[in-house]
Amino acid sequence: MFDLIDFKAVLIIALIFMPLEQLLPLHGEQSATRRHWLNDVFYLLFNGIVIKAGIVLVVGAAMLLAQRFVPEALTAAVQSQPVWLQAIEALLIADIGFYLAHRAFHAVPFLWRFHAIHHSIEEMDWLAAHRVHPVDQILTKSASFLPLFALGFSAEAVLIYVLIYQWQSVFIHSNTRIKFGPLKWLIASPQFHHWHHANEREAYDKNFAGQLPFLDLIGGTLFMPPRMPEKYGVDEPVPQLYHRQLVYPFVAAAEPAAPIAEAAPAAAKPE
């Protein structure tokens, strides 16, 4: 879980999703080597190192404070449950944290500048899930992990959540036309998340959940029309090279910010 680069996992994911996108493509005209794919390979291989280190620091520091306020009786009750029940609860609690953090990254202009990196993707595929600014990913994942650790969920339950999140994050960004039928309201799918990335005004600031679309239904942010998006990305001039994307939020912060609804199409970020 905390290996810096898990090359075996990277290889397995590539061997699954590359053929899948060729066999069941959503956008058949899209090449496997679409624009800026090498930039996203760099994210895949090296971004995780910074993110994992950042999460350990943020969650570790927050836990020192959280332990003072979480009753021992509550953590004992959580730990007394079977692992399968803990895993279900962990998935729900973590995705609520993800939903709230993700929504904040769309609503707050300074945070949006970090999240815009992820939304700058103009062609969706399995690699797109990995183009996320480290600050964005550290804070969003910390919002998911902190309540799990504070409440004392078992390592097994947390690991189940992590595995579900990692695989589903790649899947919902993939260039596949796989649909879930009625389950689309319960489980996040490409149909659900592609609309989050759509550069179409009616889709802005929609579909924030990572795994559970009914959270968007409750929050009034669900948007899943029968058709699929035709255009992705943002209208603002986000650079397309890793090192420039790292500094973009700070450079953009020095410039006058446009209203968030106009400058930041809110329709698509991971993971």
Side-chain angles (χ1 to χ4, degrees), residues 38 239 258:
L38 282 176

Side-chain angles (χ1 to χ4, degrees), residues 91-216:
L91 179 62
L92 175 60
I93 292 171
D95 209 32
I96 291 174
F98 181 91
Y99 175 92
L100 294 174
H102 193 178
R103 192 163 180 175
F105 268 90
H106 277 258
V108 180
F110 177 70
L111 294 179
W112 165 256
R113 295 182 187 106
F114 294 95
H115 197 52
I117 302 302
H118 183 65
H119 274 272
S120 68
I121 300 160
E122 297 178 344
E123 294 173 286
M124 296 285 284
D125 64 6
W126 69 280
L127 273 174
H130 302 91
R131 188 194 296 187
V132 187
H133 195 284
V135 171
D136 179 355
Q137 196 77 322
I138 289 169
L139 295 180
T140 302
K141 282 192 171 182
S142 294
S144 297
F145 285 128
L146 180 57
L148 302 187
F149 292 135
L151 292 171
F153 281 92
S154 68
E156 292 83 0
V158 175
L159 178 59
I160 291 171
Y161 161 69
V162 169
L163 292 175
I164 292 174
Y165 172 86
Q166 289 179 339
W167 282 92
Q168 193 169 17
S169 176
V170 176
F171 174 62
I172 61 179
H173 288 87
S174 65
N175 180 33
T176 58
R177 60 175 183 267
I178 298 173
K179 297 183 178 180
F180 288 172
L183 290 178
K184 68 182 181 180
W185 309 110
L186 180 63
I187 305 172
S189 63
Q191 181 183 9
F192 170 79
H193 196 67
H194 276 229
W195 276 111
H196 177 69
H197 280 269
N199 192 356
E200 300 182 25
R201 184 159 298 278
E202 65 271 25
Y204 292 178
D205 299 318
K206 303 294 183 183
N207 300 0
F208 293 113
Q211 284 82 43
L212 307 172
F214 65 80
L215 295 179
D216 283 281

Side-chain angles (χ1 to χ4, degrees), residues 8-24:
K8 182 185 292 186
V10 170
L11 180 60
I12 292 173
I13 291 171
L15 290 177
I16 290 174
F17 283 96
M18 291 180 69
L20 188 62
E21 290 185 337
Q22 296 300 311
L23 293 171
L24 297 171

